[in-house]
Amino acid sequence: MVYQVYLRSFQDSTGNGVGDLEGLRSRLGYLSEVLGVDAVWVSPFYPSPMDDFGYDVADYTAVDPLFGSLEDFDAVVAEAHRRSMAIIVDWVPNHTSSRHPWFQASRSSRSSPKRDWYVWAEATPDGGPPNNWLSVFGGPAWEWDDATGQYYLHSFLPSQPDLNWRNPEVRSAMLETVRFWLDRGVDGIRIDVADYLMKDPALRSNPAAGPAADMFKSRGAYDRFDHIHDKAHPDVHGVFREFRRILESYDGHRVCIGEIHEWDPERWALYFGTNNDELHMPFNFSLLYTPWDVGEVRHRVDSFTADLPEGAWPNHVLGNHDEARLASRFGTERVRAAAMLLLTLRGTPTLYYGDELGMTDVPIPPGEEQDPWGLRVPGLGRDGARTPMPWTDSAGSGFTRPGVKPWLPVGEGVAPVDEQLSDSRSVLGLYRSLLALRRARPALHSGDMRFVDAGRRGVLAYERLAGEDRILVALNFGTEPATLQAAPGAELLLSSHGRTHLRPGPDGSFELAGDEGLVIDLSR
Ligand code: NOJ
């Protein structure tokens, strides 16, 4: 399992209200001993003006003093390795900060040797932007530069200019930055907006969105276009093949995860490569954008796990720092069944910090919003899902020192870690049981999967199999009780808080409560 740490919100060690690397190091015991995660993905910690909270990088091979030092980073890696956990760093190759020296040089004059390192283009005859591309964060994707009389491209904020990945110098300089972290011992790289690296070289305008356009999430005006020219150009596959070759030139197993926003499973699967020679794990966000509906979930799981290329391994994501929290999307009563789903499906699960507590989105007081997306496009802010981890119910919540105001408010809706640890039926307790079961049972961590007929609408049931090891999972998506037909096996785990065991009826059937999930051992 991959656990995502949004560093600003995990553990503050200095008392400035912002999480940092030493704070993360001090909590690795929780991740390894309490949860038993395999890999920790750490959000960006590089020097940055923080316009997009670190996704605007001003130096790819250093640590922002806000988060600590390179030595602190090395200590995180060493401690994680001592505990047999992998460290995955976030790499932001599509754009730099406008304060990066490369962009400073590029914008200094049209004849700068670095001019072509970014995407510059002439205005149209009437002075408008070169095409109709929009920024994900609202408004045009082009910013006029008065000094040199051209527009530059920014798929995100104007202070996040897009690099020109068609320039071989950019490609080699950026891949050098990957080597820097691999040389320091990191086990994997998560590539930010990986499918944005290559655009149409002719900078053609995007067509208007048709019914089949790639729209998995409502993003305002951005959705009016079919984004076929400003991202996902097939040339990106050459970059990923080169990236993979670099990873494979290192010892051990180094993994590449790509942030790929692709709603069409066939197009998504292309990112594994033709001979599994590109990304190990193009993030599968399908469940992140699927309503809690049995038919929809089955359809998405099926279409993103069946027919994968040879050697490709599935993965599932139910939460991250860009989306509303799982508990807020599905409702707190569904959190337990959702945990069971995530940790029993075939494929690597990615767990967003705090989802193991059932954290919900925290309302941010007016005037205290921080996320640039929400400030530019009201309603799309991500702050609520990025609030500090509650460790204890003392002042500072164990996240920061008493009396210190954390960078975002700590939510009050969920019991902190220490409280949940003392109750094995808490949401955290359920995650721990599920993770332990997943580790112990080959059927769950590496077995095949097939859907089975649960004999009842509203119940999703599937078997996991590895040799003699057979497990049945049944999840009641409905709010009413549902009978699960005779399942000749013994209960392994029940998701509910209120009751600990389900007794099979005389005919061997189980009666699931609404929103309840059950794992049954079918092995003999
Ligand atoms: C995707 C990241 O997950 C998000 O947080 C960020 O704002 C954009 N990329 C831009 O880098």
Side-chain angles (χ1 to χ4, degrees):
M1 186 196 54
V2 176
Y3 186 95
Q4 182 190 353
V5 167
Y6 193 69
L7 195 58
R8 295 182 75 87
S9 296
F10 201 56
Q11 178 66 57
D12 172 19
S13 74
T14 60
N16 63 357
V18 176
D20 48 52
L21 289 166
E22 172 53 22
L24 167 58
R25 197 198 57 75
S26 72
R27 292 294 186 186
L28 288 175
Y30 167 76
L31 297 181
S32 72
E33 273 151 44
V34 174
L35 287 177
V37 314
D38 305 298
V40 185
W41 153 31
V42 191
S43 58
F45 46 78
Y46 317 106
S48 163
M50 304 291 168
D51 289 356
D52 188 19
F53 296 106
Y55 286 97
D56 47 328
V57 178
D59 181 351
Y60 285 92
T61 55
V63 171
D64 194 293
L66 184 67
F67 297 125
S69 63
L70 265 178
E71 290 66 41
D72 294 332
F73 177 77
D74 291 341
V76 167
V77 174
E79 174 88 15
H81 287 175
R82 197 176 66 73
R83 296 175 177 276
S84 303
M85 288 190 296
I87 292 290
I88 296 170
V89 295
D90 210 321
W91 182 60
V92 191
N94 177 67
H95 42 267
T96 68
S97 159
S98 54
R99 305 249 198 99
H100 195 292
W102 297 342
F103 188 68
Q104 298 286 319
S106 184
R107 80 182 320 173
S108 67
S109 89
R110 284 195 186 205
S111 58
S112 159
K114 294 257 182 332
R115 183 65 168 183
D116 186 52
W117 280 43
Y118 292 82
V119 185
W120 292 94
E122 300 295 342
T124 55
D126 65 0
N131 61 27
N132 68 0
W133 295 359
L134 295 179
S135 153
V136 176
F137 288 165
W142 296 96
E143 183 81 355
W144 176 250
D145 181 57
D146 232 359
T148 57
Q150 278 187 319
Y151 281 95
Y152 69 84
L153 179 67
H154 59 90
S155 298
F156 294 88
L157 295 175
S159 58
Q160 292 170 300
D162 283 38
L163 282 162
N164 176 14
W165 270 82
R166 294 186 180 279
N167 181 320
E169 290 178 6
V170 168
R171 191 158 161 159
S172 90
M174 283 303 291
L175 292 175
E176 220 26 68
T177 68
V178 172
R179 288 198 178 85
F180 177 88
W181 295 103
L182 292 169
D183 288 342
R184 285 198 107 80
V186 307
D187 308 279
I189 310 280
R190 176 261 185 190
I191 310 176
D192 187 63
V193 286
D195 51 347
Y196 278 69
L197 297 193
M198 286 290 190
K199 291 97 175 161
D200 177 33
L203 304 181
R204 280 173 290 177
S205 280
N206 287 319
D214 174 14
M215 271 191 279
F216 48 88
K217 165 186 178 180
S218 180
R219 288 163 299 183
Y222 191 79
D223 292 340
R224 283 201 224 118
F225 296 95
D226 196 358
H227 292 271
I228 57 170
H229 291 316
D230 57 355
K231 59 176 260 217
H233 190 281
D235 289 345
V236 81
H237 295 288
V239 176
F240 294 154
R241 281 193 289 274
E242 186 174 356
F243 191 93
R244 178 70 174 258
R245 283 197 297 274
I246 292 174
L247 289 190
E248 282 174 7
S249 70
Y250 281 81
D251 57 357
H253 183 57
R254 316 277 178 130
V255 70
C256 46
I257 303 178
E259 188 195 9
I260 301 287
H261 286 282
E262 185 56 76
W263 197 220
D264 172 339
E266 278 177 30
R267 294 207 313 235
W268 166 77
L270 292 176
Y271 291 95
F272 288 103
T274 33
N275 294 311
N276 203 26
D277 58 356
E278 297 185 30
L279 306 178
H280 292 102
M281 204 166 121
F283 266 143
N284 166 15
F285 294 133
S286 61
L287 291 179
L288 201 51
Y289 303 114
T290 298
W292 189 251
D293 170 272
V294 67
E296 296 260 2
V297 168
R298 178 171 173 161
H299 169 63
R300 292 294 163 205
V301 169
D302 219 9
S303 50
F304 278 79
T305 53
D307 305 325
L308 294 187
E310 175 94 26
W313 178 245
N315 77 88
H316 304 277
V317 180
L318 275 186
N320 67 28
H321 63 297
D322 291 326
E323 306 302 333
R325 287 252 178 209
L326 181 163
S328 296
R329 290 198 322 274
F330 294 153
T332 44
E333 60 290 355
R334 272 92 179 248
V335 157
R336 292 164 176 275
M340 202 166 257
L341 175 73
L342 179 69
L343 295 176
T344 58
L345 285 175
R346 178 170 185 266
T348 301
T350 297
L351 178 66
Y352 183 46
Y353 86 95
D355 278 354
E356 77 273 28
L357 305 177
M359 273 173 83
T360 50
D361 282 1
V362 175
I364 308 298
E368 294 194 20
E369 298 95 346
Q370 312 240 11
D371 177 24
W373 195 351
L375 292 171
R376 287 165 64 102
V377 189
L380 294 185
R382 300 164 290 181
D383 293 329
R386 297 176 169 181
T387 58
M389 182 84 166
W391 297 98
T392 63
D393 71 357
S394 56
S397 303
F399 165 71
T400 189
R401 296 189 191 151
V404 171
K405 188 176 181 201
W407 79 286
L408 282 174
V410 182
E412 283 162 10
V414 84
V417 172
D418 64 349
E419 203 175 298
Q420 295 206 26
L421 276 180
S422 60
D423 172 8
S424 66
R425 306 298 300 174
S426 64
V427 176
L428 179 57
L430 176 64
Y431 269 93
R432 294 182 73 189
S433 305
L434 281 164
L435 282 159
L437 196 58
R438 191 182 165 86
R439 273 192 304 278
R441 301 300 295 258
L444 285 178
H445 67 247
S446 54
D448 291 336
M449 173 172 158
R450 66 166 182 240
F451 286 109
V452 296
D453 180 10
R456 179 69 203 221
R457 284 180 61 203
V459 175
L460 182 72
Y462 44 94
E463 260 183 51
R464 301 293 317 276
L465 315 106
E468 299 291 291
D469 197 26
R470 283 180 62 206
I471 282 179
L472 176 73
V473 181
L475 303 167
N476 182 5
F477 277 63
T479 50
E480 298 299 319
T483 306
L484 178 67
Q485 278 176 351
E491 175 198 322
L492 280 172
L493 197 57
L494 185 66
S495 70
S496 295
H497 182 245
R499 47 185 192 166
T500 47
H501 291 295
L502 269 194
R503 262 182 237 304
D507 60 350
S509 64
F510 288 91
E511 179 94 346
L512 290 174
D515 300 315
E516 193 169 56
L518 175 66
V519 180
I520 296 176
D521 193 353
L522 300 179
S523 309
R524 301 195 165 263

